[in-house]
Amino acid sequence: MSVLVIGGSGFLGGEVVRQSLEAGHRVAATYATRRPDGEGVSWSSLDVRDRRQAIDLMDAVRPDVVVNAAYRQDDWAITADGAAHVALAAAATGARLVHVSSDAVFSGAAVHYDETADPDPITPYGAAKAAAETAIKAIDPGAVIVRTSLIVGDGGSVHERRVHALAAGELGGVLFTDVVRCPVHVRDLVAALLELASSEHGGVHHVAGADAVSRHELGVLIARRDGLDPAALPSGRRADTGLSGPTDVRLDCAATRRRLPHTDLRGAREFL
């Protein structure tokens, strides 16, 4: 199978590249500014905001599967328009699209959300992700849209780096005790993406961890795993700050789990 990873130089995209190579697939991947090192991958620079670039790349690579892991939280053109450009290019070449979305499409008002829940974003990033989903459904109804939550790894994620910086006193701020998510390990998430890519299933899927934990509890789990002092992690409540954003968002993954016989979506209390 030929796999094209959009955003292959990022944390999530890099794991898609690694697992695809490990599975014996032919892999091409894109980067925005700096070409990564590594053998066995055909790297291309791509600005997803440029539809012509996306179409030309897809014509050149002719992949069987496209995994879109590209986004930028503060950039609508990359997160929303870019996703539409990738979907148009994939559909034009007949490639199967797996698009990574986010639990940020939900407000948290309902707390529990399954795959049938309609997006109700309350942040610009959530709105961009929801817009991307809408565009993809219109362009390619058979595409796979995977909503996920906080992505954690073995030290390389933004969440883990933040915990280390807070514990060392190198960063200000707190970890919220009233903001709850269902963190997923990057290896489990990517295994699910590739399993769905090889299946006949399309539409929206939820891929998140089994445990609902607060940002602070997640930080404590990371600290304990990495030999840091959990007591050094400052805590607080978002409700006391006036900051906007979803508070408690828990992705119900039951329907998707039934479609993933080979992937175990562990909870944070297990993988940490």
Side-chain angles (χ1 to χ4, degrees):
M1 185 168 72
S2 171
V3 179
L4 172 60
V5 186
I6 307 297
S9 59
F11 176 66
L12 172 59
E15 180 64 17
V16 179
V17 168
R18 189 192 69 78
Q19 288 195 30
S20 296
L21 288 172
E22 191 175 71
H25 302 315
R26 182 163 55 88
V27 180
T30 73
Y31 62 94
T33 55
R34 186 178 64 84
R35 186 185 188 279
D37 297 325
E39 299 180 354
V41 182
S42 175
W43 288 102
S44 299
S45 173
L46 175 66
D47 183 348
V48 294
R49 296 171 297 183
D50 187 326
R51 183 173 61 178
R52 186 73 255 168
Q53 279 192 35
I55 291 172
D56 289 346
L57 175 65
M58 216 72 70
D59 282 341
V61 176
R62 308 296 297 187
D64 299 312
V65 170
V66 178
V67 179
N68 184 16
Y71 76 99
R72 187 175 293 163
Q73 286 208 357
D74 59 351
D75 195 321
W76 179 281
I78 289 177
T79 303
D81 297 345
H85 296 161
V86 170
L88 284 166
T93 57
R96 178 161 171 77
L97 175 63
V98 179
H99 174 78
V100 181
S101 189
S102 168
D103 58 9
V105 301
F106 298 122
S107 69
V111 179
H112 298 277
Y113 296 88
D114 67 13
E115 287 87 347
T116 66
D118 291 326
D120 61 340
I122 57 174
T123 64
Y125 174 60
K129 279 294 194 181
E133 289 188 9
T134 298
I136 291 166
K137 289 177 184 178
I139 293 165
D140 182 3
V144 178
I145 297 171
V146 173
R147 295 176 183 146
T148 191
S149 191
L150 306 182
I151 306 173
V152 180
D154 297 321
S157 72
V158 62
H159 311 293
E160 292 159 288
R161 295 197 303 270
R162 177 174 171 78
V163 168
H164 278 251
L166 285 169
E170 300 170 351
L171 185 68
V174 301
L175 295 174
F176 293 128
T177 58
D178 60 344
V179 174
V180 177
R181 297 291 186 273
C182 297
V184 65
H185 197 284
V186 66
R187 287 200 303 271
D188 299 348
L189 172 57
V190 171
L193 295 177
L194 294 178
E195 186 169 355
L196 287 168
S198 299
S199 75
E200 296 180 353
H201 302 300
V204 174
H205 293 76
H206 285 182
V207 177
D211 299 330
V213 300
S214 72
R215 291 269 193 169
H216 184 261
E217 184 179 358
L218 177 62
V220 168
L221 291 170
I222 292 169
R224 288 174 176 165
R225 181 199 66 183
D226 295 347
L228 306 174
D229 180 8
L233 299 177
S235 64
R237 299 194 326 139
R238 172 180 275 172
D240 298 330
T241 67
L243 294 173
S244 63
T247 302
D248 195 342
V249 179
R250 310 183 189 203
L251 294 183
D252 180 343
C253 305
T256 297
R257 286 175 184 272
R258 290 193 290 270
R259 294 179 169 184
L260 294 172
H262 305 297
T263 301
D264 181 17
L265 298 177
R266 298 167 293 165
R269 296 186 185 97
E270 178 182 352
F271 65 72
L272 288 171

